[in-house]
Short mmCIF file of all heavy atoms in Angstrom, two decimals:
data_model
loop_
_atom_site.label_atom_id
_atom_site.label_comp_id
_atom_site.label_asym_id
_atom_site.label_seq_id
_atom_site.Cartn_x
_atom_site.Cartn_y
_atom_site.Cartn_z
N MET A 87 182.08 -45.26 58.83
CA MET A 87 181.05 -44.28 58.55
C MET A 87 181.57 -42.87 58.84
O MET A 87 182.31 -42.66 59.79
CB MET A 87 179.85 -44.55 59.46
CG MET A 87 178.54 -44.41 58.73
SD MET A 87 177.22 -45.05 59.75
CE MET A 87 176.37 -43.56 60.03
N ALA A 88 181.17 -41.90 58.05
CA ALA A 88 181.63 -40.52 58.24
C ALA A 88 180.91 -39.89 59.42
O ALA A 88 179.70 -40.00 59.56
CB ALA A 88 181.37 -39.72 56.98
N VAL A 89 181.68 -39.23 60.26
CA VAL A 89 181.13 -38.58 61.44
C VAL A 89 181.59 -37.13 61.45
O VAL A 89 182.77 -36.86 61.19
CB VAL A 89 181.62 -39.30 62.72
CG1 VAL A 89 181.09 -38.62 63.96
CG2 VAL A 89 181.21 -40.76 62.71
N PRO A 90 180.69 -36.16 61.72
CA PRO A 90 181.10 -34.76 61.77
C PRO A 90 182.15 -34.53 62.85
O PRO A 90 182.06 -35.10 63.94
CB PRO A 90 179.81 -34.01 62.12
CG PRO A 90 178.71 -34.94 61.78
CD PRO A 90 179.25 -36.31 61.93
N LYS A 91 183.15 -33.73 62.54
CA LYS A 91 184.25 -33.50 63.48
C LYS A 91 183.83 -32.61 64.64
O LYS A 91 184.33 -32.76 65.75
CB LYS A 91 185.42 -32.88 62.74
CG LYS A 91 186.73 -33.01 63.48
CD LYS A 91 187.89 -32.92 62.55
CE LYS A 91 189.15 -33.32 63.28
NZ LYS A 91 190.14 -33.89 62.41
N GLY A 92 182.94 -31.65 64.37
CA GLY A 92 182.47 -30.77 65.44
C GLY A 92 181.15 -30.14 65.06
O GLY A 92 180.74 -30.21 63.90
N LYS A 93 180.48 -29.52 66.03
CA LYS A 93 179.18 -28.90 65.75
C LYS A 93 179.37 -27.66 64.87
O LYS A 93 180.27 -26.86 65.12
CB LYS A 93 178.51 -28.50 67.06
CG LYS A 93 177.15 -27.87 66.82
CD LYS A 93 176.41 -27.56 68.09
CE LYS A 93 175.11 -26.88 67.74
NZ LYS A 93 174.29 -26.65 68.90
N ILE A 94 178.52 -27.54 63.87
CA ILE A 94 178.53 -26.36 63.01
C ILE A 94 177.45 -25.42 63.54
O ILE A 94 176.30 -25.82 63.69
CB ILE A 94 178.28 -26.73 61.54
CG1 ILE A 94 179.43 -27.60 61.05
CG2 ILE A 94 178.11 -25.52 60.68
CD1 ILE A 94 179.29 -28.10 59.65
N SER A 95 177.84 -24.18 63.81
CA SER A 95 176.90 -23.22 64.38
C SER A 95 175.78 -22.90 63.38
O SER A 95 175.93 -23.08 62.18
CB SER A 95 177.62 -21.94 64.78
OG SER A 95 178.06 -21.28 63.62
N LYS A 96 174.67 -22.38 63.89
CA LYS A 96 173.53 -22.02 63.03
C LYS A 96 173.92 -20.94 62.04
O LYS A 96 173.48 -20.95 60.89
CB LYS A 96 172.37 -21.55 63.90
CG LYS A 96 171.76 -22.64 64.72
CD LYS A 96 170.72 -22.09 65.67
CE LYS A 96 170.37 -23.14 66.69
NZ LYS A 96 170.22 -22.59 68.03
N ALA A 97 174.76 -20.01 62.47
CA ALA A 97 175.19 -18.92 61.58
C ALA A 97 176.02 -19.48 60.42
O ALA A 97 175.82 -19.08 59.27
CB ALA A 97 176.00 -17.90 62.37
N ARG A 98 176.94 -20.38 60.70
CA ARG A 98 177.78 -20.96 59.66
C ARG A 98 176.95 -21.82 58.71
O ARG A 98 177.13 -21.77 57.49
CB ARG A 98 178.88 -21.79 60.30
CG ARG A 98 179.97 -22.21 59.34
CD ARG A 98 181.09 -22.90 60.09
NE ARG A 98 181.98 -21.94 60.71
CZ ARG A 98 183.15 -21.54 60.20
NH1 ARG A 98 183.55 -22.03 59.05
NH2 ARG A 98 183.90 -20.70 60.82
N ARG A 99 176.02 -22.60 59.27
CA ARG A 99 175.14 -23.44 58.46
C ARG A 99 174.26 -22.59 57.55
O ARG A 99 174.15 -22.85 56.35
CB ARG A 99 174.26 -24.27 59.39
CG ARG A 99 173.22 -25.12 58.70
CD ARG A 99 172.11 -25.51 59.64
NE ARG A 99 171.35 -24.32 60.03
CZ ARG A 99 170.52 -24.30 61.07
NH1 ARG A 99 170.38 -25.35 61.84
NH2 ARG A 99 169.84 -23.20 61.35
N ASP A 100 173.66 -21.53 58.09
CA ASP A 100 172.77 -20.67 57.32
C ASP A 100 173.54 -19.88 56.27
O ASP A 100 173.02 -19.63 55.18
CB ASP A 100 172.01 -19.73 58.24
CG ASP A 100 171.04 -20.47 59.15
OD1 ASP A 100 170.74 -21.66 58.85
OD2 ASP A 100 170.57 -19.91 60.14
N LYS A 101 174.77 -19.50 56.57
CA LYS A 101 175.60 -18.78 55.61
C LYS A 101 175.87 -19.66 54.38
O LYS A 101 175.84 -19.21 53.25
CB LYS A 101 176.92 -18.38 56.27
CG LYS A 101 177.68 -17.30 55.53
CD LYS A 101 179.08 -17.07 56.08
CE LYS A 101 179.14 -16.96 57.59
NZ LYS A 101 180.51 -16.79 58.07
N ARG A 102 176.12 -20.93 54.61
CA ARG A 102 176.36 -21.87 53.52
C ARG A 102 175.10 -22.09 52.69
O ARG A 102 175.13 -22.09 51.47
CB ARG A 102 176.84 -23.21 54.08
CG ARG A 102 177.18 -24.22 53.00
CD ARG A 102 177.52 -25.59 53.56
NE ARG A 102 176.34 -26.22 54.12
CZ ARG A 102 176.20 -26.58 55.40
NH1 ARG A 102 177.16 -26.34 56.27
NH2 ARG A 102 175.11 -27.16 55.82
N ARG A 103 173.97 -22.24 53.35
CA ARG A 103 172.71 -22.49 52.65
C ARG A 103 172.22 -21.27 51.88
O ARG A 103 171.52 -21.40 50.89
CB ARG A 103 171.63 -22.89 53.64
CG ARG A 103 171.82 -24.28 54.20
CD ARG A 103 170.72 -24.64 55.14
NE ARG A 103 170.91 -25.95 55.72
CZ ARG A 103 170.17 -26.43 56.69
NH1 ARG A 103 169.18 -25.74 57.20
NH2 ARG A 103 170.41 -27.64 57.17
N ASN A 104 172.59 -20.08 52.31
CA ASN A 104 172.10 -18.83 51.74
C ASN A 104 172.90 -18.38 50.52
O ASN A 104 172.52 -17.42 49.86
CB ASN A 104 172.11 -17.74 52.81
CG ASN A 104 171.33 -16.52 52.39
OD1 ASN A 104 170.38 -16.64 51.63
ND2 ASN A 104 171.72 -15.37 52.86
N SER A 105 173.97 -19.06 50.19
CA SER A 105 174.86 -18.57 49.14
C SER A 105 174.35 -18.84 47.72
O SER A 105 174.94 -18.40 46.77
CB SER A 105 176.25 -19.17 49.30
OG SER A 105 176.18 -20.56 49.08
N HIS A 106 173.23 -19.56 47.56
CA HIS A 106 172.76 -19.95 46.23
C HIS A 106 171.58 -19.13 45.73
O HIS A 106 171.08 -19.43 44.66
CB HIS A 106 172.37 -21.44 46.23
CG HIS A 106 173.46 -22.33 46.72
ND1 HIS A 106 174.65 -22.50 46.04
CD2 HIS A 106 173.56 -23.09 47.83
CE1 HIS A 106 175.42 -23.33 46.72
NE2 HIS A 106 174.78 -23.70 47.81
N TRP A 107 171.12 -18.15 46.46
CA TRP A 107 169.89 -17.44 46.09
C TRP A 107 170.10 -16.38 45.03
O TRP A 107 169.14 -15.95 44.39
CB TRP A 107 169.24 -16.80 47.30
CG TRP A 107 170.03 -15.67 47.88
CD1 TRP A 107 171.00 -15.74 48.82
CD2 TRP A 107 169.93 -14.28 47.54
NE1 TRP A 107 171.52 -14.51 49.09
CE2 TRP A 107 170.87 -13.59 48.31
CE3 TRP A 107 169.13 -13.57 46.65
CZ2 TRP A 107 171.03 -12.21 48.21
CZ3 TRP A 107 169.30 -12.21 46.57
CH2 TRP A 107 170.23 -11.54 47.35
N LYS A 108 171.34 -15.94 44.81
CA LYS A 108 171.58 -14.83 43.89
C LYS A 108 171.30 -15.23 42.44
O LYS A 108 171.65 -16.32 42.01
CB LYS A 108 173.02 -14.35 44.01
CG LYS A 108 173.32 -13.72 45.34
CD LYS A 108 174.77 -13.32 45.44
CE LYS A 108 175.06 -12.81 46.83
NZ LYS A 108 176.48 -12.67 47.06
N LEU A 109 170.69 -14.33 41.70
CA LEU A 109 170.41 -14.56 40.29
C LEU A 109 171.60 -14.10 39.46
O LEU A 109 172.25 -13.10 39.77
CB LEU A 109 169.17 -13.78 39.84
CG LEU A 109 167.85 -14.20 40.44
CD1 LEU A 109 166.76 -13.21 40.04
CD2 LEU A 109 167.47 -15.59 39.97
N SER A 110 171.87 -14.80 38.38
CA SER A 110 172.95 -14.39 37.49
C SER A 110 172.38 -13.45 36.42
O SER A 110 171.19 -13.50 36.11
CB SER A 110 173.60 -15.60 36.83
OG SER A 110 172.63 -16.33 36.11
N LEU A 111 173.24 -12.61 35.87
CA LEU A 111 172.79 -11.68 34.84
C LEU A 111 172.47 -12.43 33.55
O LEU A 111 173.19 -13.35 33.17
CB LEU A 111 173.90 -10.66 34.56
CG LEU A 111 174.15 -9.63 35.65
CD1 LEU A 111 175.41 -8.84 35.32
CD2 LEU A 111 172.98 -8.69 35.77
N PRO A 112 171.40 -12.02 32.86
CA PRO A 112 171.10 -12.69 31.59
C PRO A 112 172.12 -12.27 30.52
O PRO A 112 172.69 -11.19 30.58
CB PRO A 112 169.71 -12.17 31.24
CG PRO A 112 169.60 -10.86 31.95
CD PRO A 112 170.42 -11.00 33.20
N GLY A 113 172.33 -13.14 29.55
CA GLY A 113 173.28 -12.86 28.47
C GLY A 113 172.70 -11.80 27.54
O GLY A 113 171.74 -12.05 26.84
N MET A 114 173.31 -10.62 27.54
CA MET A 114 172.83 -9.53 26.70
C MET A 114 173.77 -9.39 25.50
O MET A 114 174.96 -9.61 25.60
CB MET A 114 172.81 -8.21 27.48
CG MET A 114 171.90 -8.22 28.70
SD MET A 114 170.17 -8.33 28.30
CE MET A 114 169.83 -6.65 27.82
N ALA A 115 173.17 -9.04 24.37
CA ALA A 115 173.94 -8.84 23.14
C ALA A 115 173.41 -7.61 22.43
O ALA A 115 172.26 -7.22 22.62
CB ALA A 115 173.83 -10.06 22.25
N LYS A 116 174.27 -7.00 21.62
CA LYS A 116 173.87 -5.82 20.85
C LYS A 116 173.20 -6.28 19.56
O LYS A 116 173.71 -7.15 18.86
CB LYS A 116 175.11 -4.99 20.54
CG LYS A 116 174.81 -3.58 20.13
CD LYS A 116 176.10 -2.83 19.89
CE LYS A 116 176.01 -1.46 20.51
NZ LYS A 116 177.21 -0.68 20.29
N CYS A 117 172.05 -5.68 19.25
CA CYS A 117 171.34 -6.01 18.02
C CYS A 117 172.14 -5.47 16.82
O CYS A 117 172.47 -4.29 16.80
CB CYS A 117 169.94 -5.41 18.04
SG CYS A 117 169.01 -5.64 16.52
N PRO A 118 172.45 -6.31 15.84
CA PRO A 118 173.23 -5.82 14.69
C PRO A 118 172.44 -4.87 13.80
O PRO A 118 173.02 -4.06 13.08
CB PRO A 118 173.61 -7.10 13.94
CG PRO A 118 172.63 -8.12 14.38
CD PRO A 118 172.20 -7.75 15.77
N LYS A 119 171.13 -4.92 13.84
CA LYS A 119 170.28 -4.08 12.98
C LYS A 119 170.13 -2.67 13.56
O LYS A 119 170.39 -1.69 12.89
CB LYS A 119 168.92 -4.75 12.82
CG LYS A 119 167.93 -3.97 12.01
CD LYS A 119 167.92 -4.47 10.58
CE LYS A 119 166.77 -3.82 9.85
NZ LYS A 119 167.18 -3.10 8.71
N CYS A 120 169.69 -2.59 14.83
CA CYS A 120 169.40 -1.26 15.40
C CYS A 120 170.39 -0.84 16.49
O CYS A 120 170.41 0.31 16.89
CB CYS A 120 167.98 -1.23 15.96
SG CYS A 120 167.71 -2.28 17.39
N GLY A 121 171.21 -1.78 16.99
CA GLY A 121 172.22 -1.44 17.99
C GLY A 121 171.72 -1.42 19.42
O GLY A 121 172.48 -1.14 20.33
N GLU A 122 170.47 -1.77 19.65
CA GLU A 122 169.93 -1.78 21.01
C GLU A 122 170.27 -3.10 21.70
O GLU A 122 170.43 -4.14 21.04
CB GLU A 122 168.41 -1.60 20.95
CG GLU A 122 167.83 -1.15 22.27
CD GLU A 122 166.49 -0.45 22.10
OE1 GLU A 122 166.34 0.30 21.13
OE2 GLU A 122 165.62 -0.67 22.93
N MET A 123 170.39 -3.07 23.03
CA MET A 123 170.70 -4.28 23.77
C MET A 123 169.48 -5.20 23.80
O MET A 123 168.36 -4.76 24.00
CB MET A 123 171.13 -3.95 25.20
CG MET A 123 172.44 -3.18 25.28
SD MET A 123 173.82 -4.01 24.49
CE MET A 123 174.20 -5.23 25.70
N LYS A 124 169.73 -6.51 23.58
CA LYS A 124 168.65 -7.50 23.58
C LYS A 124 169.15 -8.77 24.24
O LYS A 124 170.36 -8.95 24.44
CB LYS A 124 168.21 -7.80 22.15
CG LYS A 124 169.25 -8.52 21.32
CD LYS A 124 168.74 -8.87 19.95
CE LYS A 124 169.69 -9.77 19.20
NZ LYS A 124 169.73 -11.14 19.67
N LEU A 125 168.25 -9.65 24.61
CA LEU A 125 168.64 -10.94 25.17
C LEU A 125 169.22 -11.80 24.05
O LEU A 125 168.74 -11.79 22.92
CB LEU A 125 167.43 -11.64 25.78
CG LEU A 125 166.92 -11.07 27.10
CD1 LEU A 125 165.59 -11.70 27.46
CD2 LEU A 125 167.92 -11.29 28.21
N ALA A 126 170.26 -12.56 24.37
CA ALA A 126 170.91 -13.41 23.38
C ALA A 126 169.97 -14.49 22.90
O ALA A 126 169.15 -15.01 23.68
CB ALA A 126 172.17 -14.03 23.99
N HIS A 127 170.04 -14.84 21.64
CA HIS A 127 169.23 -15.89 21.00
C HIS A 127 167.74 -15.59 21.03
O HIS A 127 166.92 -16.50 21.05
CB HIS A 127 169.51 -17.26 21.64
CG HIS A 127 170.94 -17.62 21.69
ND1 HIS A 127 171.67 -17.94 20.57
CD2 HIS A 127 171.80 -17.68 22.73
CE1 HIS A 127 172.92 -18.21 20.94
NE2 HIS A 127 173.03 -18.04 22.22
N ARG A 128 167.40 -14.31 21.04
CA ARG A 128 166.00 -13.90 21.03
C ARG A 128 165.82 -12.73 20.07
O ARG A 128 166.75 -12.02 19.78
CB ARG A 128 165.53 -13.51 22.42
CG ARG A 128 165.27 -14.72 23.30
CD ARG A 128 165.09 -14.32 24.74
NE ARG A 128 164.90 -15.48 25.59
CZ ARG A 128 165.87 -16.25 26.05
NH1 ARG A 128 167.12 -16.01 25.71
NH2 ARG A 128 165.61 -17.27 26.84
N MET A 129 164.58 -12.53 19.65
CA MET A 129 164.25 -11.44 18.75
C MET A 129 164.45 -10.10 19.46
O MET A 129 164.22 -9.99 20.66
CB MET A 129 162.78 -11.60 18.34
CG MET A 129 162.23 -10.46 17.54
SD MET A 129 160.44 -10.47 17.53
CE MET A 129 160.11 -9.74 19.12
N CYS A 130 164.87 -9.10 18.70
CA CYS A 130 165.03 -7.76 19.25
C CYS A 130 163.65 -7.13 19.39
O CYS A 130 162.86 -7.11 18.45
CB CYS A 130 165.90 -6.92 18.31
SG CYS A 130 166.10 -5.21 18.87
N LYS A 131 163.34 -6.62 20.59
CA LYS A 131 162.04 -6.01 20.83
C LYS A 131 161.90 -4.66 20.16
O LYS A 131 160.81 -4.20 19.88
CB LYS A 131 161.79 -5.87 22.33
CG LYS A 131 161.58 -7.18 23.03
CD LYS A 131 161.32 -6.98 24.50
CE LYS A 131 161.11 -8.31 25.19
NZ LYS A 131 160.85 -8.13 26.62
N ALA A 132 163.03 -4.02 19.88
CA ALA A 132 162.99 -2.68 19.30
C ALA A 132 162.69 -2.71 17.81
O ALA A 132 161.88 -1.92 17.30
CB ALA A 132 164.31 -1.97 19.55
N CYS A 133 163.34 -3.63 17.07
CA CYS A 133 163.17 -3.64 15.61
C CYS A 133 162.48 -4.90 15.08
O CYS A 133 162.07 -4.93 13.92
CB CYS A 133 164.51 -3.44 14.92
SG CYS A 133 165.70 -4.76 15.22
N GLY A 134 162.36 -5.95 15.89
CA GLY A 134 161.66 -7.16 15.46
C GLY A 134 162.48 -8.11 14.62
O GLY A 134 161.94 -9.02 14.01
N TYR A 135 163.82 -7.91 14.57
CA TYR A 135 164.68 -8.76 13.74
C TYR A 135 165.35 -9.84 14.59
O TYR A 135 165.64 -9.64 15.77
CB TYR A 135 165.76 -7.93 13.07
CG TYR A 135 165.32 -7.34 11.74
CD1 TYR A 135 164.42 -6.29 11.69
CD2 TYR A 135 165.80 -7.85 10.54
CE1 TYR A 135 164.01 -5.76 10.50
CE2 TYR A 135 165.39 -7.32 9.33
CZ TYR A 135 164.50 -6.28 9.32
OH TYR A 135 164.10 -5.76 8.11
N TYR A 136 165.57 -11.00 13.98
CA TYR A 136 166.35 -12.07 14.60
C TYR A 136 167.07 -12.83 13.50
O TYR A 136 166.46 -13.19 12.49
CB TYR A 136 165.47 -13.02 15.40
CG TYR A 136 166.25 -14.17 16.00
CD1 TYR A 136 167.15 -13.95 17.02
CD2 TYR A 136 166.11 -15.46 15.52
CE1 TYR A 136 167.90 -14.98 17.56
CE2 TYR A 136 166.84 -16.50 16.06
CZ TYR A 136 167.73 -16.26 17.08
OH TYR A 136 168.47 -17.29 17.61
N ASN A 137 168.34 -13.07 13.67
CA ASN A 137 169.16 -13.84 12.74
C ASN A 137 169.13 -13.25 11.33
O ASN A 137 169.08 -13.98 10.34
CB ASN A 137 168.69 -15.30 12.74
CG ASN A 137 169.80 -16.25 12.36
OD1 ASN A 137 170.96 -15.87 12.35
ND2 ASN A 137 169.44 -17.48 12.03
N GLY A 138 169.11 -11.93 11.22
CA GLY A 138 169.21 -11.27 9.93
C GLY A 138 167.90 -11.13 9.17
O GLY A 138 167.90 -10.65 8.04
N ARG A 139 166.78 -11.55 9.74
CA ARG A 139 165.51 -11.40 9.04
C ARG A 139 164.44 -10.89 9.98
O ARG A 139 164.53 -11.07 11.20
CB ARG A 139 165.08 -12.71 8.39
CG ARG A 139 164.92 -13.86 9.33
CD ARG A 139 164.78 -15.16 8.55
NE ARG A 139 165.02 -16.29 9.43
CZ ARG A 139 164.04 -17.03 9.95
NH1 ARG A 139 162.80 -16.77 9.67
NH2 ARG A 139 164.32 -18.02 10.75
N GLU A 140 163.41 -10.25 9.40
CA GLU A 140 162.33 -9.70 10.21
C GLU A 140 161.41 -10.82 10.65
O GLU A 140 160.86 -11.55 9.83
CB GLU A 140 161.54 -8.64 9.42
CG GLU A 140 160.56 -7.90 10.28
CD GLU A 140 159.86 -6.78 9.52
OE1 GLU A 140 160.01 -6.70 8.28
OE2 GLU A 140 159.17 -5.99 10.18
N VAL A 141 161.24 -10.96 11.95
CA VAL A 141 160.41 -12.00 12.51
C VAL A 141 159.03 -11.43 12.85
O VAL A 141 158.02 -12.10 12.67
CB VAL A 141 161.06 -12.61 13.78
CG1 VAL A 141 160.19 -13.65 14.39
CG2 VAL A 141 162.41 -13.18 13.42
N LYS A 142 159.03 -10.19 13.33
CA LYS A 142 157.79 -9.55 13.77
C LYS A 142 157.85 -8.09 13.37
O LYS A 142 158.86 -7.43 13.57
CB LYS A 142 157.67 -9.69 15.29
CG LYS A 142 156.39 -9.18 15.86
CD LYS A 142 156.37 -9.42 17.37
CE LYS A 142 155.11 -8.86 17.96
NZ LYS A 142 155.11 -9.02 19.42
N SER A 143 156.74 -7.59 12.81
CA SER A 143 156.72 -6.17 12.47
C SER A 143 156.39 -5.37 13.72
O SER A 143 155.47 -5.68 14.45
CB SER A 143 155.67 -5.90 11.38
OG SER A 143 154.40 -6.29 11.83
N VAL A 144 157.22 -4.33 13.96
CA VAL A 144 157.08 -3.50 15.15
C VAL A 144 156.56 -2.14 14.72
O VAL A 144 157.07 -1.55 13.77
CB VAL A 144 158.44 -3.37 15.87
CG1 VAL A 144 158.32 -2.49 17.10
CG2 VAL A 144 158.97 -4.74 16.25
N LYS A 145 155.55 -1.67 15.45
CA LYS A 145 154.98 -0.33 15.14
C LYS A 145 155.96 0.75 15.54
O LYS A 145 156.57 0.68 16.61
CB LYS A 145 153.67 -0.12 15.91
CG LYS A 145 152.56 -1.05 15.51
CD LYS A 145 151.35 -0.80 16.36
CE LYS A 145 150.30 -1.87 16.12
NZ LYS A 145 149.19 -1.75 17.07
N GLU A 146 156.11 1.76 14.69
CA GLU A 146 156.97 2.89 15.01
C GLU A 146 156.18 3.88 15.84
O GLU A 146 155.08 4.29 15.46
CB GLU A 146 157.46 3.57 13.72
CG GLU A 146 158.38 2.71 12.89
CD GLU A 146 159.71 2.44 13.56
OE1 GLU A 146 160.20 3.34 14.26
OE2 GLU A 146 160.25 1.34 13.38
N ALA A 147 156.71 4.26 16.99
CA ALA A 147 155.99 5.20 17.87
C ALA A 147 156.54 6.60 17.76
O ALA A 147 157.62 6.86 17.41
CB ALA A 147 156.08 4.73 19.32
#
């Protein structure tokens, strides 16, 4: 049976457990229509285009 070789301090244990909380950056891509940054595989919020066609009409402000 596996037995721990020595006691692991609370600081070392907590440091190991705390290393997974960071969020990764979302995949951003440049919109080919308007050039604004958008989330990958999603419609552009600025122009309403996705995959070369208009998905949603966006009001011009």
